[in-house]
Amino acid sequence: MSEDIRAEAGFLVLADISGFTAFVAGTELEHGAQVTGVLLEAVMRRLSPPLEIQELEGDAVFALGPDGALADGGALPALLADAFAVFKEEQRRLASDDSCACRACRNVPSLDLKLVVHHGRFVRQTVGGRSRVAGPDVILVHRLLKNPVGGSAYLLLTAPALERVGVDPVARGMQQHFVSYPHLGEVPCFVADLEPLARSASTGAPVLSAA
């Protein structure tokens, strides 16, 4: 049994590429992996710092914002909007490169990004020399990638995350959804379209600022 176990609280963030499975299945292996790798790397560079990249999970980046390291939760929406803007900028750059006409390069515009955020508790532990985080809230944020929200570019925050950010979802026009998972119960979530959030971030306007 691992002896190095620490309990913490903070934001748990997943940045997930929408359309990844269809893209990878329908494109050349080497170029498909190269394209998604470039996009994920761009997102990772923008999120960290101040977030801590915990793991790269195929089509998603899993990051942490421990309370001690991310004292101002109100700054998180702008950071995430910036990460989306960087993703789109890198996507446009790849799509404009006409040096290759393979399916992967042609289908770059079909990809998008969704961001899922929860605030909760987790434990850090070392298993087999590798660090990982665990706990019900870690499971929950991953389950939230499967949700009834329509669209492919959105920011989803659970009620605990939204409270920590300090935003009135009604005043900000966010859509409310309720999702339920076995053993985890019903989870209220609030969703915002990432496109206008990214435009606000690019002009220096507040992004989901407190009402």
PDB file of all heavy atoms in Angstrom, residues 49 71 89 95 104 117 121 125 149 155 169 186 188 210:
ATOM      1  N   PRO A  49       1.463  27.321 -16.400  1.00  0.00           N
ATOM      2  CA  PRO A  49       0.720  27.624 -15.179  1.00  0.00           C
ATOM      3  C   PRO A  49      -0.492  28.524 -15.474  1.00  0.00           C
ATOM      4  O   PRO A  49      -0.569  29.035 -16.587  1.00  0.00           O
ATOM      5  CB  PRO A  49       1.779  28.370 -14.330  1.00  0.00           C
ATOM      6  CG  PRO A  49       2.662  29.030 -15.365  1.00  0.00           C
ATOM      7  CD  PRO A  49       2.694  28.124 -16.533  1.00  0.00           C
ATOM      8  N   ALA A  71      -5.584  30.679  -5.785  1.00  0.00           N
ATOM      9  CA  ALA A  71      -6.350  31.336  -4.737  1.00  0.00           C
ATOM     10  C   ALA A  71      -7.559  32.084  -5.292  1.00  0.00           C
ATOM     11  O   ALA A  71      -8.607  32.155  -4.661  1.00  0.00           O
ATOM     12  CB  ALA A  71      -5.448  32.298  -3.975  1.00  0.00           C
ATOM     13  N   GLU A  89      -6.903  29.154 -32.581  1.00  0.00           N
ATOM     14  CA  GLU A  89      -5.831  29.794 -33.359  1.00  0.00           C
ATOM     15  C   GLU A  89      -4.907  28.742 -33.968  1.00  0.00           C
ATOM     16  O   GLU A  89      -4.537  28.829 -35.145  1.00  0.00           O
ATOM     17  CB  GLU A  89      -5.033  30.736 -32.459  1.00  0.00           C
ATOM     18  CG  GLU A  89      -3.896  31.449 -33.173  1.00  0.00           C
ATOM     19  CD  GLU A  89      -3.113  32.355 -32.238  1.00  0.00           C
ATOM     20  OE1 GLU A  89      -3.586  32.585 -31.104  1.00  0.00           O
ATOM     21  OE2 GLU A  89      -2.032  32.817 -32.644  1.00  0.00           O
ATOM     22  N   ALA A  95      -5.162  24.300 -40.412  1.00  0.00           N
ATOM     23  CA  ALA A  95      -6.090  24.187 -41.538  1.00  0.00           C
ATOM     24  C   ALA A  95      -5.622  24.998 -42.740  1.00  0.00           C
ATOM     25  O   ALA A  95      -5.942  24.656 -43.886  1.00  0.00           O
ATOM     26  CB  ALA A  95      -7.485  24.623 -41.112  1.00  0.00           C
ATOM     27  N   ALA A 104      -6.426  13.825 -42.692  1.00  0.00           N
ATOM     28  CA  ALA A 104      -6.222  14.428 -41.374  1.00  0.00           C
ATOM     29  C   ALA A 104      -6.096  15.946 -41.493  1.00  0.00           C
ATOM     30  O   ALA A 104      -6.741  16.695 -40.754  1.00  0.00           O
ATOM     31  CB  ALA A 104      -4.976  13.841 -40.720  1.00  0.00           C
ATOM     32  N   VAL A 117     -15.465  21.562 -15.705  1.00  0.00           N
ATOM     33  CA  VAL A 117     -14.809  22.001 -14.467  1.00  0.00           C
ATOM     34  C   VAL A 117     -15.655  21.622 -13.252  1.00  0.00           C
ATOM     35  O   VAL A 117     -16.866  21.869 -13.221  1.00  0.00           O
ATOM     36  CB  VAL A 117     -14.603  23.537 -14.458  1.00  0.00           C
ATOM     37  CG1 VAL A 117     -13.806  23.950 -13.227  1.00  0.00           C
ATOM     38  CG2 VAL A 117     -13.911  23.996 -15.731  1.00  0.00           C
ATOM     39  N   ARG A 121     -12.800  17.514  -3.672  1.00  0.00           N
ATOM     40  CA  ARG A 121     -11.658  16.977  -2.925  1.00  0.00           C
ATOM     41  C   ARG A 121     -11.040  15.815  -3.693  1.00  0.00           C
ATOM     42  O   ARG A 121     -11.705  15.119  -4.457  1.00  0.00           O
ATOM     43  CB  ARG A 121     -12.104  16.516  -1.533  1.00  0.00           C
ATOM     44  CG  ARG A 121     -12.515  17.688  -0.644  1.00  0.00           C
ATOM     45  CD  ARG A 121     -12.918  17.209   0.736  1.00  0.00           C
ATOM     46  NE  ARG A 121     -11.851  16.451   1.407  1.00  0.00           N
ATOM     47  CZ  ARG A 121     -10.792  16.998   1.988  1.00  0.00           C
ATOM     48  NH1 ARG A 121     -10.640  18.316   1.986  1.00  0.00           N
ATOM     49  NH2 ARG A 121      -9.894  16.241   2.592  1.00  0.00           N
ATOM     50  N   GLN A 125      -1.586  10.402  -4.543  1.00  0.00           N
ATOM     51  CA  GLN A 125      -0.855   9.246  -4.052  1.00  0.00           C
ATOM     52  C   GLN A 125       0.176   8.824  -5.086  1.00  0.00           C
ATOM     53  O   GLN A 125       0.063   9.147  -6.270  1.00  0.00           O
ATOM     54  CB  GLN A 125      -1.792   8.085  -3.717  1.00  0.00           C
ATOM     55  CG  GLN A 125      -2.581   7.564  -4.899  1.00  0.00           C
ATOM     56  CD  GLN A 125      -3.521   6.429  -4.514  1.00  0.00           C
ATOM     57  OE1 GLN A 125      -4.528   6.241  -5.143  1.00  0.00           O
ATOM     58  NE2 GLN A 125      -3.203   5.664  -3.481  1.00  0.00           N
ATOM     59  N   VAL A 149     -25.504  17.824 -22.908  1.00  0.00           N
ATOM     60  CA  VAL A 149     -25.336  19.166 -23.466  1.00  0.00           C
ATOM     61  C   VAL A 149     -25.111  19.074 -24.974  1.00  0.00           C
ATOM     62  O   VAL A 149     -24.283  18.285 -25.445  1.00  0.00           O
ATOM     63  CB  VAL A 149     -24.147  19.885 -22.807  1.00  0.00           C
ATOM     64  CG1 VAL A 149     -23.947  21.268 -23.424  1.00  0.00           C
ATOM     65  CG2 VAL A 149     -24.369  19.994 -21.307  1.00  0.00           C
ATOM     66  N   LEU A 155     -18.282  25.497 -22.157  1.00  0.00           N
ATOM     67  CA  LEU A 155     -17.693  25.428 -20.821  1.00  0.00           C
ATOM     68  C   LEU A 155     -18.778  24.962 -19.869  1.00  0.00           C
ATOM     69  O   LEU A 155     -19.829  25.583 -19.759  1.00  0.00           O
ATOM     70  CB  LEU A 155     -17.185  26.812 -20.402  1.00  0.00           C
ATOM     71  CG  LEU A 155     -16.756  26.975 -18.938  1.00  0.00           C
ATOM     72  CD1 LEU A 155     -15.597  26.053 -18.587  1.00  0.00           C
ATOM     73  CD2 LEU A 155     -16.389  28.438 -18.655  1.00  0.00           C
ATOM     74  N   PRO A 169     -25.160  32.346 -12.312  1.00  0.00           N
ATOM     75  CA  PRO A 169     -25.391  31.773 -13.641  1.00  0.00           C
ATOM     76  C   PRO A 169     -26.603  32.367 -14.351  1.00  0.00           C
ATOM     77  O   PRO A 169     -26.623  32.461 -15.585  1.00  0.00           O
ATOM     78  CB  PRO A 169     -25.597  30.284 -13.347  1.00  0.00           C
ATOM     79  CG  PRO A 169     -26.037  30.232 -11.921  1.00  0.00           C
ATOM     80  CD  PRO A 169     -25.335  31.362 -11.239  1.00  0.00           C
ATOM     81  N   GLU A 186     -27.259  13.153  -8.307  1.00  0.00           N
ATOM     82  CA  GLU A 186     -27.605  14.192  -9.280  1.00  0.00           C
ATOM     83  C   GLU A 186     -26.660  15.379  -9.129  1.00  0.00           C
ATOM     84  O   GLU A 186     -26.340  15.802  -8.011  1.00  0.00           O
ATOM     85  CB  GLU A 186     -29.043  14.654  -9.077  1.00  0.00           C
ATOM     86  CG  GLU A 186     -29.527  15.607 -10.150  1.00  0.00           C
ATOM     87  CD  GLU A 186     -30.988  15.974  -9.979  1.00  0.00           C
ATOM     88  OE1 GLU A 186     -31.307  16.675  -8.993  1.00  0.00           O
ATOM     89  OE2 GLU A 186     -31.803  15.562 -10.822  1.00  0.00           O
ATOM     90  N   PRO A 188     -26.036  19.297 -10.435  1.00  0.00           N
ATOM     91  CA  PRO A 188     -26.425  20.484 -11.194  1.00  0.00           C
ATOM     92  C   PRO A 188     -25.213  21.079 -11.908  1.00  0.00           C
ATOM     93  O   PRO A 188     -24.151  21.250 -11.311  1.00  0.00           O
ATOM     94  CB  PRO A 188     -26.953  21.451 -10.125  1.00  0.00           C
ATOM     95  CG  PRO A 188     -26.763  20.787  -8.808  1.00  0.00           C
ATOM     96  CD  PRO A 188     -26.004  19.532  -8.992  1.00  0.00           C
ATOM     97  N   ALA A 210     -18.167  38.064 -11.708  1.00  0.00           N
ATOM     98  CA  ALA A 210     -19.216  38.011 -10.703  1.00  0.00           C
ATOM     99  C   ALA A 210     -20.255  39.085 -10.976  1.00  0.00           C
ATOM    100  O   ALA A 210     -19.945  40.181 -11.396  1.00  0.00           O
ATOM    101  CB  ALA A 210     -18.613  38.202  -9.305  1.00  0.00           C
TER     102      ALA A 210
END
